[in-house]
Amino acid sequence: MGTWLKEWKPEDHNFWESTGKKIAWRTLTITTISLTLSFIVWYLMSGIVTKLPGIGFNFTEKELFWLASLPGLAAGTLRIVHTFLIPIYGTRHTVTFSTLIKLIPVVGIALAVMNPETPFWVFAVLAFTMGFGGGDFSSFMPSTNMFFPARLKGTALGVQAGIGNFGVSIVQFLTPALLGVAIVGAPEILKTTNPLTHEVTTKPIYLQSTALIYAPILIIMTLVCWFGLRSIPLKSSFKEQLGIFKIKHTWFCTITYFMTFGTFSGLAAAFPLMIKSLYGDFPGAPDPLKYAFYGPLIGSASRVVFGFVADRVGGSVLTTITGLGFAGCIGIMIAMGLVAPTSVDQFPYFLAMMLTIFFFSGMGNAGTFRQYPIIFKDNPVHSAGVIGWTAAIAAYGPFIFSMIIGAELESSKASGLKSVNTFFWGILIFSLLATVINWYYYQRKGAERPS
């Protein structure tokens, strides 16, 4: 079978029912499984990094935040590249290669954690390659956007992105569960210190297993992608695709998607270390990996559910609700001192507000991706390009959030009270700005491009 389909007319009812529907849903199923693996690889480091000090790696808190942030830096940069690949190379080649290349960080990090002498720069390079998993989102989404008719775009994009986002929860949930599973190599000895008695306890763990478990799945999915996917004959040159940057709505959409997905991805990456840094020194401190996966899980489920809702009520209203929800939750956290805590008793309230933010982020992610194909409905190539581009910039969320949070925590040490108040003030203000832009251009009566 060849790579390129002979024709593709999803808006033609007869074509869709006779031919298109079967191909589109098969493509969505395969690429969604692959995208879930992408998010797993992208967030591998967020689960591994909290265990490195306990098995003999003498990395500073700042270095640990660097490791958590580098996959985001790589993903944002690679998404810019992926934005333009589908109209040039097609779905089959792009998705297959993207699935295969994720074996590099999976195998590499497994080998690195087995040797306590592995230098920081090796971990930094491997953390950067984990961005392969975040980068290809900007190929998956434009591809799915082109396979489905307008009436199903919100549903299809919501299902794919939402289920793909579950990869974040999967890796953060499975990481502690896999620590006791022997696959390859000898166990590492994890040392933990009781903050009250200063008593040191040890137990064997297999940190390499948390990565190697995904290697055979990636190999299988590479084969499935190659033999199961085809490409739509909608080709466009790189120069033609650059036309999106001359349109002001490209930049407005970039702002609104950074509010929704930038917040989701950024907080998902920083959440475990933030719990550890803010609440880890109190007696009875929570284990970050017991709670961290709940945020991405809720955000992912919310994105799937509201993908269906967006097709019925429109995306802009969901985006506005998201911005207001962010502002409300962050205002409560700042007012109650939850992001500058003085007691572990504040943790349940902090957790509740953070999980609510993740819920709103899923709603906003579904809303924005329903909006963009409508805002750019006059040009399918531009529509796909904007989806890829906005996703690229929002993927810098883990890098930006982790670096700012790490820097503020470091500077607040001098006062004896760890705080990220300033960071959350910034998110609050940005969310309100993005909400106003969304309401003015896309939601209000008489809006320029209602969506």
Side-chain angles (χ1 to χ4, degrees):
M1 295 178 68
T3 294
W4 298 93
L5 296 166
K6 292 182 179 180
E7 61 176 355
W8 193 253
K9 301 180 291 184
E11 301 297 344
D12 182 317
H13 178 76
N14 291 332
F15 174 85
W16 177 254
E17 291 297 327
S18 64
T19 305
K21 181 165 64 174
K22 180 180 178 180
I23 296 173
W25 286 106
R26 182 185 71 206
T27 301
L28 181 68
T29 301
I30 294 172
T31 55
T32 297
I33 295 171
S34 182
L35 182 62
T36 304
L37 288 167
S38 294
F39 274 87
I40 286 172
V41 172
W42 189 17
Y43 280 85
L44 258 179
M45 188 59 81
S46 69
I48 290 174
V49 71
T50 60
K51 299 298 182 184
L52 293 178
I55 61 173
F57 291 94
N58 297 315
F59 299 151
T60 65
E61 187 171 72
K62 187 175 181 181
E63 287 175 327
L64 294 176
F65 269 101
W66 263 106
L67 293 181
S69 66
L70 280 171
L73 175 64
T77 304
L78 291 170
R79 281 190 182 189
I80 295 174
V81 176
H82 274 277
T83 295
F84 307 102
L85 294 185
I86 291 296
I88 299 175
Y89 298 105
T91 298
R92 186 193 196 193
H93 284 89
T94 303
V95 174
T96 300
F97 180 75
S98 298
T99 304
L100 178 64
I101 200 174
K102 289 190 280 283
L103 283 168
I104 295 174
V106 163
V107 175
I109 197 66
L111 296 174
V113 299
M114 287 192 286
N115 181 9
E117 301 300 318
T118 304
F120 174 78
W121 71 263
V122 173
F123 277 93
V125 170
L126 290 170
F128 193 86
T129 63
M130 288 176 184
F132 293 158
D136 53 26
F137 184 87
S138 285
S139 283
F140 284 86
M141 292 295 103
S143 169
T144 298
N145 177 64
M146 292 190 294
F147 268 96
F148 283 83
R151 69 181 187 279
L152 294 176
K153 288 183 187 293
T155 297
L157 291 170
V159 167
Q160 179 161 72
I163 293 178
N165 289 169
F166 275 123
V168 184
S169 293
I170 290 171
V171 72
Q172 292 181 344
F173 175 77
L174 286 183
T175 293
L178 290 169
L179 291 175
V181 179
I183 297 179
V184 174
E188 300 88 27
I189 302 302
L190 177 68
K191 297 180 180 180
T192 55
T193 304
N194 187 308
L196 276 178
T197 64
H198 301 290
E199 179 184 358
V200 178
T201 58
T202 61
K203 69 174 181 179
I205 64 170
Y206 295 87
L207 195 55
Q208 64 270 29
S209 297
T210 64
L212 279 180
I213 193 72
Y214 304 110
I217 305 174
L218 285 168
I219 294 172
I220 292 170
M221 281 309 302
T222 297
L223 296 173
V224 171
C225 289
W226 180 254
F227 290 105
L229 296 177
R230 295 296 176 266
S231 302
I232 291 176
L234 178 63
K235 294 188 177 184
S236 176
S237 68
F238 177 70
K239 183 178 180 180
E240 181 184 350
Q241 294 182 69
L242 290 178
I244 62 173
F245 299 117
K246 298 177 182 179
I247 306 169
K248 66 182 180 181
H249 294 286
T250 297
W251 305 105
F252 295 151
C253 292
T254 302
I255 292 172
T256 57
Y257 198 60
F258 192 89
M259 176 186 73
T260 61
F261 187 77
T263 298
F264 171 84
S265 64
L267 290 182
F271 199 22
L273 276 176
M274 193 157 52
I275 293 174
K276 180 179 177 63
S277 297
L278 290 175
Y279 289 91
D281 293 335
F282 296 121
D287 180 352
L289 293 185
K290 285 185 177 180
Y291 299 98
F293 77 94
Y294 285 113
L297 177 67
I298 290 172
S300 302
S302 175
R303 186 168 193 166
V304 174
V305 171
F306 282 101
F308 293 94
V309 175
D311 274 336
R312 288 157 180 77
V313 304
S316 60
V317 63
L318 299 183
T319 305
T320 294
I321 293 172
T322 296
L324 297 176
F326 282 174
C329 291
I330 293 171
I332 291 171
M333 287 203 297
I334 293 173
M336 293 181 64
L338 305 181
V339 287
T342 56
S343 167
V344 74
D345 295 336
Q346 294 168 276
F347 178 71
Y349 303 103
F350 167 78
L351 182 64
M353 286 297 100
M354 288 292 293
L355 296 184
T356 305
I357 289 174
F358 277 109
F359 170 81
F360 280 119
S361 74
M363 178 192 295
N365 288 332
T368 48
F369 265 28
R370 172 67 175 113
Q371 290 179 260
Y372 302 161
I374 296 175
I375 293 170
F376 292 88
K377 61 184 177 182
D378 58 319
N379 190 319
V381 171
H382 284 176
S383 175
V386 167
I387 287 174
W389 167 257
T390 56
I393 300 304
Y396 283 114
F399 176 73
I400 295 171
F401 281 34
S402 295
M403 293 307 299
I404 295 175
I405 290 171
E408 186 174 358
L409 285 169
E410 188 72 24
S411 64
S412 66
K413 280 183 179 179
S415 65
L417 178 67
K418 289 188 176 181
S419 168
V420 286
N421 267 330
T422 303
F423 165 78
F424 277 101
W425 268 114
I427 299 301
L428 189 155
I429 294 169
F430 181 81
S431 296
L432 291 176
L433 171 65
T435 302
V436 170
I437 290 173
N438 176 73
W439 173 81
Y440 184 83
Y441 286 100
Y442 310 122
Q443 185 191 349
R444 69 183 176 90
K445 185 178 181 180
E448 192 169 322
R449 296 195 181 184
S451 54

